[in-house]
Amino acid sequence: MFLVFNKQKIISYLIAFSTVAILFAGASFFMPSREETLQTSVGAGKLLPIYSVETNEKKVSLTMNCAWNADDIEKILDTLSKYKVHITFFMVGDWVDKYPEAVKKIAESGHEIGNHSNTHPHVNNLSLEKNESQIKECADKIEKLTGKRSLLYRGPYGEYNDVVLKAAKNQQHETIQWSLDTLDYKGLTESEMWARLENKLKNGDIILMHNGTKHTAEALDRIIYNIQEKGYDIVPVSDLIYKENANIDVNGRQRQTN
């Protein structure tokens, strides 16, 4: 079968094709980018924790999760004292129960104590009420030993969702993640830990470490020395984040709004 096209039909097809192409191009032009979609989602009520802080000051926060043993706490505190540095310890309630003297010594040394849940569960699987209970019970234990109630929260395993973040807010806690991870819990040496920080460190970073690991206590001296050599001050998280007039962008970076 032969298809016969006259001049009029060809012109009609070309016009139709051009119209479809223009409409498609216009739709692509006005389609939001991935970042714009995320920003819209965040603006519409998506909750986010703080991973880092936008600041012109050369300061970072060092954080220490406490969930295992307390064998290295003495050495960690000695190193922090040597460099006149104060950091934030995120403690699990069960750890507070097991090592009350370590908790008190950390507080007496001027360090900030944050909340790392009561029993270190997978909080993304818990209801709002159970998440609130995890935070409140840990905060009660910290306050009983130190006289100060925790104000910062970090979910176990770094987990969070809207329910977890809402529970923290309801308990007057700000949820804190991290922007740099030493991976000390994997048994990395001090050289390997520093290699993970050296070329990435920037203003407003929050660094994750853990006590009770194989090399953390011995690596801390070099890590603090190297951070200070780069010109950074190390401060507790509460001295890094903004308490008001701030928002959190799609990357979890807290920014001041005025």
Side-chain angles (χ1 to χ4, degrees), residues 8 12 18 42 48 61 68 80 92 99 110 129 134-135 141-142 144 171-172 223 227:
Q8 188 63 41
S12 298
S18 299
V42 172
L48 287 171
S61 285
W68 299 314
L80 294 172
V92 175
Y99 308 108
E129 293 73 19
Q134 282 284 326
I135 297 168
K141 292 175 180 180
I142 291 169
K144 184 176 179 180
Q171 289 298 313
Q172 292 77 52
I223 287 173
I227 290 173

Side-chain angles (χ1 to χ4, degrees), residues 20-32:
V20 171
I22 291 169
L23 289 172
F24 181 79
S28 300
F29 179 79
F30 289 107
M31 186 177 294

Side-chain angles (χ1 to χ4, degrees), residues 4-35:
V4 179
F5 295 96
N6 59 32
K7 184 178 180 181
Q8 188 63 41
K9 283 186 177 181
I10 293 174
I11 293 173
S12 298
Y13 290 145
L14 287 174
I15 292 173
F17 180 80
S18 299
T19 301
V20 171
I22 291 169
L23 289 172
F24 181 79
S28 300
F29 179 79
F30 289 107
M31 186 177 294
S33 66
R34 179 176 180 274
E35 182 173 340

